[in-house]
Amino acid sequence: MKLIFEESRPGRKLGLLPECDVEKYEIKAPKRALKLHLPEMSETGISRHYTQLAKQTRGVNDGFYPLGSCTMKYNPKINEDMASLPGFTGLHPLQPADTAKGALSLMLGLKESLCEITGMDDMTLQPAAGAHGEFTGLLLIKAYHTDRKDLARTKIIVPDSAHGTNPASAHMAGFEIVNIKSNEEGCIDLDTLRSVCGPDTAGLMLTNPNTVGIFDPNIKEITDIVHAAGGLCYYDGANLNAITGIARPGDMGFDVIHLNLHKTFSTPHGGGGPGAGPVGCKSFLKKFLPWPVVERQDSEAFLSMPEKSIGTVRSFFGNFLVMVKAYTYILSLGKEGIPEASTNAVLNANYMRVKLKDKYKMAFDHTCMHEFVMTLEHEKHSLGITAMDIAKGLIDFGIHPPTMYFPLIVHEALMIEPTETESKETLDDCIDAFLKLYETALENGEKLHGAPYTSPIGRPDEVLAARSLKLKYEFEA
Ligand SMILES: *Cc1c(COP(=O)(O)O)cnc(C)c1O
C-alpha cells in the first residue's frame, strides 16, 4: 500500500469548513527555515488510509497471540470505559492536588492492591515501562548502599536466562554486570551464586518464575545468600501472571520489584503505546522512592515527598489512564478472581505443553508455570527447519508467532505463553496448527521456508529491519 505522502496531492483538503470570515493575523515569530510537509488529503482518503493500515496490524483482538514473556492477554473493554470517564480524561497534571482527590484515591487504591499482591510495603507508580521500572529500582538499590557509605558495592548479578533489559538497566544505573550461568534445569546454581557474592555485590536481579517458565525451587535460599553477602534482591515482575494471589515476591525475600501493568494487569501494550512499570519496595527503601508518592492518612490520599528521594523518573505521576485500567481490572477480578486468573494461565500453558511434547522437544521437561520453551535444535540439523520457519508458518493459521530465539540459553527456542484468557478451542486450534506444521516440516520443508503466504510482508531481513529502521518519509529536497 502507498504511504500517506505518496497519496498526497497539492491542494487536496477537507472541504467541510467555511471560508475564514475574520481578519487574518500574522504571528510575529521566526519563520521556519524549511517548508512544513503535511500530506494533503481528502477526508475519505485519510479514513481509508488508516483503515487499511489498521487491517495490516495484528493484536489480541484479531486472534491468538501466544508471545512468551509478554503476557498478551485479552484487555477487558470495561477498563477502557473507566479510563474514558470525563472526570479522569479532563484532569490536568498541574491542577492543585486537593481538586483531584478522586484520582489520588484511585492511585492509592492501586498502589495498596499491588503492594498486597506482591508483598511490598510501598510503591511508586511513576515509571512508564518495565525497563524503566528496572532502572528506577536499581537507583533505589544504589541510593541504599550510597546512603550507608557502602561504596564498594558496584556489581549486579544477573543470570544468563535474564531478559536483555536487566543487564542494560543495571549498566545504565552505573553498575557492573556479573553474568551467571543457569544450571541444567534452567534455574540459579547455588554454588555459582555463592562464588560471585561478596563485599562488591550490590544486588541480584531475578524473575521468578524465570524466563523458561520454571519456579525456582531454591528461591528463599537464593535471596538469603545475596542478603548474607550484604546485597539486595530485585524482582523482575514480568512473569507475575503465573503467581498473582498465590505467591508473593516480598515473601520470597525480594526487596525491590517492578510490575508491568501492560502485561499482568491487562492494559494494552505494544506499538509504543503508553505502559506503566510501578516499582515496589520494602519499608527500609521507602525514603528513596521517586517523588511524589501517594500516601494514606486515615481514609484520605495525599502526596508526599520521600525524605531522600532519588528524584522524579518521569513527568508528573506516570501514565495515569493506564493506572485506571489496571485498577479496574483488579477490582473486577477481586480477591477470588486474581488467583483464578493465574491458575488458569498455568493450566493453559501445561495443557499446550503436554499436547505438543511428543513432537516438539521441550527445553526443560517439567511441569511449567505460565509459559514453556521448546527447542527446534534437532530439527534444524536433521531437517533444516528452524524455529523461525515454524513461527512464520503459524501466521498462515492466523496465529501470532510465539517469542523466538529467547531466552538465549536455549537454541532454536520457541517460547509460548497462552495466558488465561484463551478458550480450550483456541488452544486446540493452535496445537493442531503446530502439529500440522511439524508434518509439513517432515514432508515438504521447502514449503515452510517460504511461509508465511498470507501476510502483506513475509520475511523481512530481520537484522536490517531492527538496525536500520526507516521511520520517517524522506522528502525530495
Ligand atoms: C517485557 C519484559 C521486560 C521489560 O518490560 P517492558 O515493559 O517491555 O520495558 C523485562 N523483563 C522481562 C522478563 C520481560 O518479559
Side-chain angles (χ1 to χ4, degrees), residues 276-430:
V279 169
C281 65
K282 288 287 176 70
S283 53
F284 69 96
L285 293 169
K286 273 175 79 138
K287 58 174 179 271
F288 304 113
L289 282 172
W291 59 265
V293 175
V294 202
E295 297 219 58
R296 169 183 292 280
Q297 195 164 46
D298 305 322
S299 60
E300 292 262 323
F302 72 102
L303 294 172
S304 87
M305 300 284 173
E307 179 196 337
K308 296 186 171 179
S309 173
I310 57 167
T312 59
V313 294
R314 199 186 176 280
S315 49
F316 304 110
F317 308 98
N319 281 319
F320 175 69
L321 294 178
V322 175
M323 297 169 204
V324 177
K325 294 176 198 180
Y327 195 46
T328 306
Y329 177 73
I330 291 173
L331 292 183
S332 21
L333 260 64
K335 218 180 179 107
E336 292 76 32
I338 286 176
E340 190 182 333
S342 284
T343 316
N344 285 336
V346 172
L347 179 64
N348 281 359
N350 279 290
Y351 179 75
M352 285 193 72
R353 181 184 62 83
V354 170
K355 291 273 184 178
L356 289 174
K357 73 179 186 158
D358 289 342
K359 285 279 185 294
Y360 289 87
K361 185 167 170 9
M362 295 298 147
F364 303 93
D365 200 9
H366 290 261
T367 303
C368 63
M369 295 298 288
H370 61 309
E371 63 191 2
F372 59 94
V373 182
M374 319 196 289
T375 169
L376 272 286
E377 193 175 12
H378 175 71
E379 288 74 8
K380 182 180 173 181
H381 295 301
S382 60
L383 302 168
I385 294 294
T386 61
M388 177 74 83
D389 290 327
I390 299 291
K392 292 287 185 186
L394 279 178
I395 297 174
D396 290 330
F397 287 89
I399 296 168
H400 191 283
T403 297
M404 298 177 283
Y405 300 99
F406 176 78
L408 303 177
I409 54 172
V410 177
H411 293 175
E412 294 299 323
L414 285 180
M415 181 190 214
I416 297 160
E417 178 181 7
T419 82
E420 70 280 13
T421 55
E422 299 299 334
S423 66
K424 179 170 177 293
E425 291 74 19
T426 304
L427 303 183
D428 283 333
D429 285 348
C430 182

Side-chain angles (χ1 to χ4, degrees), residues 69-70 129-132 134 163 165-166 207 211 236 238-239 258 260 262-263:
S69 207
C70 289
H132 194 187
E134 290 170 26
H163 195 264
T165 51
N166 289 187
T207 175
T211 53
D236 174 338
N239 293 319
H258 85 254
N260 305 63
H262 45 283
K263 293 180 180 172

